Structures are given as structure tokens and as C-alpha cells.
Amino acid sequence: METREQPVAVIAGASGFIGRAVGDALVADGYRLRLVGRSSEIPWSDPHALRAAVDGADIVVNLAGKSVDCRYTDSNRREILDSRVRTTRALHSAIAEAGRPPRLWLNASTATIYRHEMERPNTESTGEIGTGFSVDVATAWERALFDGSLPGTRRAALRMAIVLGDGPATRMLFALARTGLGGTQFDGWCPPHRRDRGIGEHPTGPDRAAWYRTHGRQKFSWIHLDDVVGAIRFIRDDDRLEGPVNLASPHPSDNRTLMRTLRRTVGAPIGVPAPRIALEAGMWAMRSEAELLVKSRWVIPETLRDAGFTFAHPDLEAALKDVHERAGRRG
């Protein structure tokens, strides 16, 4: 049974690899968990149960949303957007109606909200918001979080870079390296498609997929799963932190370095370079999208840095080695 002394954490999306790690960390910190989800004790379909869950909670962490590791078909595009906005709005309504609202609400977002960037890093204060499908999803997601007044609740959007851990993006990268396909990926011309076109009430960007000649130097911003958990704890404990917060290593890489480091990590002697047109075919076969590999994400964690956060895994090679060794121990 819950006691008055035991703090309560509400977690939505706890079944994913990030959610499991966050839940384990909060339990270790002494929290009692209330889980929200389609198959959890508190379903999204019950607004009364959702309001009761957040009422009296200390912290709400929302990580819910359909995985973007899929093809951007029309139905998947709609569900990627709706699953994020719908759940965030439901939590917003529940918190607004709670008699004892949580003091902190952390909502997932994505570093993909920034534009394709090759010239300078994006920080929370100076970054440029991009255009297109993924950006429109991110901006709608954050609008749902920050909409209206919640005077008793501090809110932060966790703009996460690619998370290195036991998740789909890391597994895909390791798989490419192991099969000899871990060479540099080059953006460039590809057959035009409309899967990256804007979405929502105010869609942005071109109707056809954009491309750039990056020569494999597109930036790769990333963060180790341990540092996602550490950042959540850090934001929880520092009342100054609110608004958008970049969750990314202070040392972004680029695609050439990433793929070379992946090959060393898995012991692959070669990696075949791939132009965009080949990547599009490969991602079709893997039922995913080439955006993960060719968009230049250059993100710096200015807010965390200035507040004094210390990263446990700031360097790419050590972070990849740690993730690879943990996966090996799991069998």
C-alpha cells in the first residue's frame, strides 16, 4: 500500500526501453509508481483514473508515443502524431483538474525538432526549428505540453537525441556494422517521395523529401541511456529547470566517425559506404526510414551544461562500447 511518506511517480510509456530504465531508477529512489498505458493499471481511455493518478503525485514522466522505427505510411504518420499529442493533452487535462497537481511534469520530445544543421550547433536559446514531418510532430507535441496555465506544475520538454541503449535505433546501427554495411552514409539525390512532408494543422516544409550533399559529414547527436536517466533526476532536483531541455551528449559526432566507431566496437573489418539512394532501398527492406542516418542533428545541451550536469558517458566510443558489452551480458 502507498503511504503518505512515499513519493509517487506517474510514468506513461513505461514499457519502452527508456521507460523501463526511468521506472527502475525512480523505484530505486524510493518512489511508488503509477503506470499509465493501454495495458497498464491506468488506461488512457479512463479520464477519471488518469486524474486520480496524477492527483497527489510528485512527478509525472510521459514517454508515450508510437515508435518512429517504421515506414512513414499515411496511417503510421497519423498515429505517430496522434499518439503523442493525444496522450499529452490527456495528461494536461488531468493535471489541470487535479486537487493536488504534481510539482513536476517531464514530457518526452525530440532533438529532431531542430533544422538539418551543418554550420553551427543548436542550443535551446539559439537553435532553429526545422520543417517537415518529424519537426511538425515535435512542435505539436510541445504545444500540447506548454499550452495554458498549470501554476502548480513545473514543465519541461525533454528534447532527446538518439538514445544509445537497448532500443531500436542502436540495434539497427549495430546490425548495419555487423553485416558489413557500416560504412559512411552519404546524403544526396533520391527518388522523390512525400513521406517526409509536413503534418498537422499547419504542415511545414516541401512536399517532396529534401536532400543535401553532406559527404558523410552530417552531424550525429546522441545520448547514453544512463545520461537520460541522470538528466531526469537532475531536472527533478533543480527547480530552476523548465521549458525545452536538450538531452544530448556535449560531444556530438558525425556520420563518418559514428560508422567507423561502430565497426571498431563490433569488430567488423569493413563497412560498405552507402549513398542515399541505396539507403532508401535498405531502409525500405528494414521497414524504417533513412532520416535517422542522413539528417544532420547538431545539438548541444546548453541548459544542462550551464546548470552543472555531469555526463556519465560524454564520449561516443566509450558509450558504444558500454552499450555493446551490456548487450553481450544479456545474451
Side-chain angles (χ1 to χ4, degrees):
M1 295 181 61
E2 295 176 11
T3 66
R4 289 185 178 181
E5 292 77 18
Q6 188 175 24
V8 172
V10 176
I11 303 181
S15 61
F17 84 106
I18 299 174
R20 291 193 301 271
V22 171
D24 289 346
L26 292 176
V27 167
D29 291 345
Y31 285 81
R32 167 81 173 184
L33 301 186
R34 297 174 183 168
L35 305 182
V36 180
R38 286 175 297 180
S39 58
S40 300
E41 60 191 76
I42 305 154
W44 290 110
S45 58
D46 188 341
H48 300 292
L50 190 59
R51 184 173 63 247
V54 302
D55 199 330
D58 294 85
I59 180 173
V60 172
V61 183
N62 180 25
L63 303 166
K66 176 179 171 59
S67 172
V68 295
D69 184 30
C70 63
R71 295 294 284 175
Y72 292 168
T73 62
D74 286 350
S75 61
N76 283 341
R77 280 163 46 90
R78 285 192 299 270
E79 183 57 21
I80 287 170
L81 174 64
D82 291 347
S83 63
R84 286 158 172 75
V85 174
R86 183 177 62 247
T87 55
T88 303
R89 285 176 176 167
L91 281 172
H92 195 292
S93 295
I95 292 171
E97 295 171 4
R100 296 171 298 158
R103 67 179 184 86
L104 176 63
W105 176 12
L106 301 178
N107 210 75
S109 182
T110 172
T112 302
I113 197 170
Y114 298 112
R115 69 186 292 271
H116 176 101
E117 184 61 75
M118 297 285 291
E119 297 179 359
R120 61 182 179 83
N122 285 298
T123 68
E124 296 92 338
S125 64
T126 65
E128 289 187 38
I129 304 301
T131 60
F133 170 64
S134 295
V135 173
D136 288 349
V137 169
T139 54
W141 205 0
E142 292 193 6
R143 279 197 301 270
L145 168 64
F146 293 121
D147 182 48
S149 175
L150 295 176
T153 302
R154 178 164 54 99
R155 289 172 280 180
L158 307 177
R159 290 181 175 175
M160 282 182 270
I162 302 296
V163 179
L164 301 183
D166 186 24
T170 311
R171 288 196 295 268
M172 183 191 72
L173 290 170
F174 279 140
L176 288 172
R178 289 192 190 97
T179 56
L181 300 176
T184 301
Q185 281 112 16
F186 298 90
D187 198 2
W189 181 88
C190 67
H193 64 76
R194 303 182 64 243
R195 296 188 305 277
D196 293 334
R197 70 190 185 280
I199 194 171
E201 297 177 0
H202 304 286
T204 64
D207 191 56
R208 303 289 177 175
W211 58 272
Y212 307 86
R213 294 205 181 279
T214 62
H215 305 287
R217 294 296 184 188
Q218 62 268 26
K219 293 293 185 177
F220 177 76
S221 287
W222 59 276
I223 186 170
H224 191 288
L225 178 60
D226 288 352
D227 285 321
V228 172
V229 173
I232 286 173
R233 283 169 158 158
F234 187 81
I235 296 167
R236 174 197 65 192
D237 297 337
D238 190 333
D239 291 339
R240 299 172 300 168
L241 302 181
E242 59 185 344
V245 181
N246 291 345
L247 267 57
S249 164
H251 304 306
S253 184
D254 62 19
N255 185 267
R256 286 177 181 267
T257 305
L258 166 67
M259 304 313 293
R260 184 169 61 245
T261 306
L262 279 166
R263 294 195 300 271
R264 282 200 299 267
T265 301
V266 304
I270 61 170
V272 178
R276 174 72 176 267
I277 193 168
L279 283 174
E280 291 287 351
M283 291 299 102
W284 173 85
M286 296 176 71
R287 309 313 299 161
S288 191
E289 292 287 349
E291 182 190 39
L292 172 68
L293 299 170
V294 298
K295 180 172 180 177
S296 187
R297 297 172 175 85
W298 193 353
V299 181
I300 295 295
E302 176 186 60
T303 296
L304 288 176
R305 180 198 64 199
D306 292 352
F309 179 70
T310 300
F311 285 82
H313 303 277
D315 298 310
L316 179 63
E317 184 154 11
L320 285 171
K321 182 179 179 180
D322 178 79
V323 171
H324 189 252
E325 289 177 349
R326 293 190 196 189
R329 289 196 294 271
R330 286 191 296 269

